[in-house]
Amino acid sequence: MIVLCAPHSTIKISSHLNDMADHLDVGGQVTTGKHALFLVADGGPDFNINHATNWFYYGRLFREMNLDALVVTSFCPGDSAMNPIEHLWAPCTRRLTSVALPSSLPDETLPPSQQRLQPKDRLQKEHRVFNLAMERIQHSYWKDLTFAGNPVTVVMEESVGHMDKRIGMAIFTKCKEPLCRHCRDRPSSISAEEMDHLRNFPSPTPSLTHEGHFKTFIESLNEGTRSLPCQHMQAFTVKQLGRCSEGSCRYVYGSKEDQDEHSRKYVHHR
């Protein structure tokens, strides 16, 4: 099984396992009497069983899915001749040799990044362009793909994002994007007004009545305070690193290293 994710989506062990548990319906399989799960993973950082951070997420999968046993192995890591993951990628990459995927929508000539669009509109178009490209891979280039005589199931995970990362705070909320299958199939159970409050949860704001103090969260919520997140925090004003300006990305930098990793390595490295 191969899950395709997008440049605007969070790509890490937690998202990979969430997608896998969803697409494979691990919880449903357990209720039908299948209590052991074997995962053959590659040795990349997102899956590497030697990384302590990944142990936590594998353990969480084991616990939350109520498995009796979970076996995770890279099986001959570093030895391509014996590693089944390396073998699987060979027919996948051969199918994509010399393939050029479109960078624009079918009825347009310019990619979204070269159009005069509002950030939100550009981001939505980028999602659509990426998803269409991945659908082409899934249904055309990787159609009827086999490995060692067995069919390969290709599943596309649509391009979405759900985290608002600030200085000392991370907010995860269900989104309103029509392309997001997860939130479309599992809509919020609370009111739209409450969700709006949560998405715009206030950052610390100086108190007007108690000099040298910040307003409490309750005060800020009752007043409907909405300002640029973290703009009054020392880490924001002194370091002057600001907030990511890429599309509608909601990420406040906490350090120069954080800014470099977010902008050039992990998220916007296109």
Side-chain angles (χ1 to χ4, degrees):
M1 174 180 175
I2 301 169
V3 179
L4 302 175
C5 293
H8 292 296
S9 302
T10 302
I11 309 299
K12 54 186 178 181
I13 180 66
S14 57
S15 60
H16 287 313
L17 292 183
N18 287 341
D19 294 339
M20 185 203 67
D22 184 24
H23 289 302
L24 292 182
D25 188 23
V26 175
Q29 295 292 335
V30 170
T31 61
T32 62
K34 299 176 181 178
H35 301 290
L37 176 63
F38 289 78
L39 296 180
V40 181
D42 65 20
D46 290 343
F47 285 104
N48 198 318
I49 195 57
N50 296 320
H51 293 183
T53 300
N54 293 350
W55 302 344
F56 170 83
Y57 290 103
Y58 284 128
R60 187 188 70 170
L61 177 71
F62 168 76
R63 182 194 64 191
E64 294 188 356
M65 295 295 103
N66 194 27
L67 292 164
D68 289 339
L70 171 64
V71 179
V72 185
T73 178
S74 293
F75 204 76
C76 300
D79 192 341
S80 297
M82 300 292 179
N83 192 324
I85 298 296
E86 298 288 345
H87 286 187
L88 172 58
W89 276 114
C92 292
T93 54
R94 277 199 299 268
R95 290 281 188 95
L96 296 179
T97 301
S98 301
V99 169
L101 296 171
S103 60
S104 61
L105 294 177
D107 56 344
E108 297 178 350
T109 57
L110 294 176
S113 60
Q114 297 179 20
Q115 300 179 31
R116 294 182 178 180
L117 300 170
Q118 293 296 320
K120 183 177 181 180
D121 295 331
R122 191 186 77 180
L123 181 63
Q124 289 180 341
K125 275 198 173 184
E126 287 179 341
H127 285 317
R128 291 169 58 194
V129 169
F130 189 88
N131 290 337
L132 287 173
M134 294 303 99
E135 287 177 0
R136 179 176 294 191
I137 291 177
Q138 178 185 14
H139 298 299
S140 297
Y141 300 108
W142 285 353
K143 182 181 179 181
D144 302 325
L145 186 67
T146 61
F147 171 61
N150 298 307
V152 175
T153 301
V154 181
V155 180
M156 187 190 80
E157 183 64 23
E158 294 177 336
S159 170
V160 294
H162 299 88
M163 185 177 76
D164 182 349
K165 188 272 180 186
R166 307 177 186 179
I167 297 173
M169 181 187 295
I171 302 174
F172 297 86
T173 57
K174 289 185 176 178
C175 72
K176 297 182 289 186
E177 296 292 337
L179 293 175
C180 179
R181 181 177 51 81
H182 174 82
C183 296
R184 185 183 63 227
D185 296 343
R186 303 171 182 81
S188 170
S189 59
I190 62 178
S191 70
E193 183 181 9
E194 289 176 308
M195 284 299 298
D196 188 52
H197 279 308
L198 292 171
R199 293 190 184 101
N200 295 282
F201 200 78
S203 288
T205 305
S207 173
L208 300 177
T209 56
H210 298 85
E211 186 177 354
H213 293 269
F214 286 102
K215 295 177 183 177
T216 66
F217 283 131
I218 294 177
E219 288 175 331
S220 297
L221 287 170
N222 289 338
E223 295 173 4
T225 302
R226 289 195 181 185
S227 59
L228 180 67
C230 307
Q231 66 173 328
H232 300 292
M233 298 178 69
Q234 185 178 28
F236 189 92
T237 58
V238 174
K239 298 177 182 178
Q240 298 185 349
L241 296 172
R243 188 175 177 92
C244 180
S245 59
E246 179 74 20
S248 60
C249 181
R250 299 169 295 175
Y251 195 99
V252 177
Y253 305 122
S255 66
K256 187 63 171 65
E257 181 183 14
D258 184 30
Q259 183 183 39
D260 291 340
E261 290 182 344
H262 177 82
S263 303
R264 299 187 179 92
K265 296 181 183 178
Y266 299 142
V267 182
H268 304 304
H269 55 279
R270 293 171 295 161

